């Protein structure tokens, strides 16, 4: 699958996009990225104080244009043909 990174996540990973194979869920994808690129991506997505029962991911993960928050969250299933977009949390005010 293709995984695209935006803003600070692009800087953390050091690439605009990567190809990933063999992961079955968003949770496995995040673990894979942490293991093969940098643990910082997992820390930023799952380890901030803003993550909790009502917000499983700090940022936005889209699978084929659909926000995983509206699917199965971290348990959203992935296939080799998917395109995943990973965005950091939006700031502003």
């Amino acid at each position: 699958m293709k995984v695209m990174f935006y803003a600070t996540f692009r800087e953390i990973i050091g690439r605009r996009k990567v190809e990933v194979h063999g992961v079955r869920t968003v949770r496995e994808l995040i673990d894979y990225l942490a293991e093969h690129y940098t643990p910082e991506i997992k820390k930023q997505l799952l380890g901030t104080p803003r993550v909790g029962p009502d917000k499983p991911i700090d940022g936005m993960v889209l699978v084929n244009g659909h926000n995983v928050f509206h699917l199965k969250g971290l348990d959203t299933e992935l296939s080799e043909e998917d395109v995943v977009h990973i965005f950091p949390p939006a700031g502003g005010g």
Side-chain angles (χ1 to χ4, degrees):
M1 79 191 63
K2 292 181 184 173
V3 183
M4 311 287 290
F5 303 96
Y6 298 89
T8 55
F9 287 142
R10 187 175 288 174
E11 295 170 18
I12 289 169
I13 292 293
R15 298 175 181 205
R16 186 172 62 89
K17 67 180 176 177
V18 298
E19 293 268 339
V20 173
H21 303 281
V23 298
R24 297 172 297 181
T25 66
V26 170
R27 184 184 319 273
E28 286 182 17
L29 173 61
I30 293 169
D31 287 340
Y32 177 94
L33 295 171
E35 181 180 334
H36 290 87
Y37 293 94
T38 176
E40 186 66 22
I41 188 102
K42 185 173 183 176
K43 180 181 172 187
Q44 294 293 319
L45 286 169
L46 306 180
T48 72
R50 294 181 291 271
V51 173
D54 296 329
K55 185 177 182 175
I57 299 170
D58 192 13
M60 183 169 51
V61 177
L62 304 179
V63 176
N64 301 323
H66 300 281
N67 191 328
V68 299
F69 184 75
H70 302 294
L71 300 171
K72 294 181 182 177
L74 293 170
D75 296 321
T76 299
E77 296 163 355
L78 299 172
S79 72
E80 293 292 321
E81 297 80 30
D82 288 338
V83 178
V84 179
H85 300 266
I86 301 179
F87 298 86

